[in-house]
Amino acid sequence: MPFREKSAWISLLSISLIYGLYFWSVVHAGPHAGFHFGSLLATVIALIVAQVVLHIVVAIAAPKEAKAPRDERDKLIELKATRIAYSGLATAIACACLFGALDPPIVFNTNALLFVLVTAELMRTSCQIIQYRRGA
Amino acid sequence: MTQQDLADKIGVTRQTVNAIEQGKYSPSLEAAFRIAAAFDTPLEGVFHYSKD
């Protein structure tokens, strides 16, 4: 498995797990719990630490691959994945704007927008992994 | 020449060379010329165009 694919797996799994726990706590707290900046900050720090540590472990296991710059196929895969994720993100934001304009009973709050952003990132890393698996 | 040797010569990963060999990835023109140069052969000696 190439280093870039391992990196995509690290992102996918760490984001799923750490933001999954954050959103689970948000849902568990109920709709009127409000936004807790401290909880989000802890989540972001945990994500950064987890990703840095896991990337270091993978780089130690295969230092030559880790040092190599992205080649043209890596760049193409990243561009395709980003394009797909951007489409998802743009669609979700357009829906949020439309929903907001209709004076909704539920406010599209910070956590909901964060969920959209995290989902777009998950789409991006998933698309990268799928393309690497297909050998594209 | 192994896939890794060729990959090192043309500046891509071994997985990219493998994808090119399997016909799953079409390299850039620059990479194609580098591959041909690595084998010291013209471009058409390495790559063939098929309409299918």
Side-chain angles (χ1 to χ4, degrees), chain A residues 15-30:
Chain A
I15 290 170
S16 301
L17 183 70
I18 294 170
Y19 269 109
L21 285 170
Y22 172 76
F23 287 120
W24 182 83
S25 71
V26 167
V27 170
H28 194 69

Side-chain angles (χ1 to χ4, degrees), chain A residues 1-3 64-65 68-69 71-74 76 133-136, chain B residues 4 8 11-13 15-16 19-20 24-28 30-31:
Chain A
M1 190 188 289
F3 178 77
K64 194 182 168 191
E65 273 192 45
D71 70 5
E72 60 179 47
R73 180 167 154 267
D74 293 324
L76 189 66
R133 291 280 92 198
R134 285 181 179 169
Chain B
Q4 188 62 61
D8 292 341
V12 298
T13 61
Q15 288 79 16
T16 297
I20 293 168
K24 289 180 176 175
Y25 172 68
S26 299
S28 67
E30 188 182 341

Side-chain angles (χ1 to χ4, degrees), chain B residues 1-3 5-7 9-13 15-17 20 23-24 31-33 36 41 45 47 51:
Chain B
M1 187 187 293
T2 64
Q3 287 184 342
D5 292 337
L6 180 60
K9 272 191 175 182
I10 64 172
V12 298
T13 61
Q15 288 79 16
T16 297
V17 171
I20 293 168
K24 289 180 176 175
F33 274 114
T41 186
F47 294 99
K51 284 184 179 177

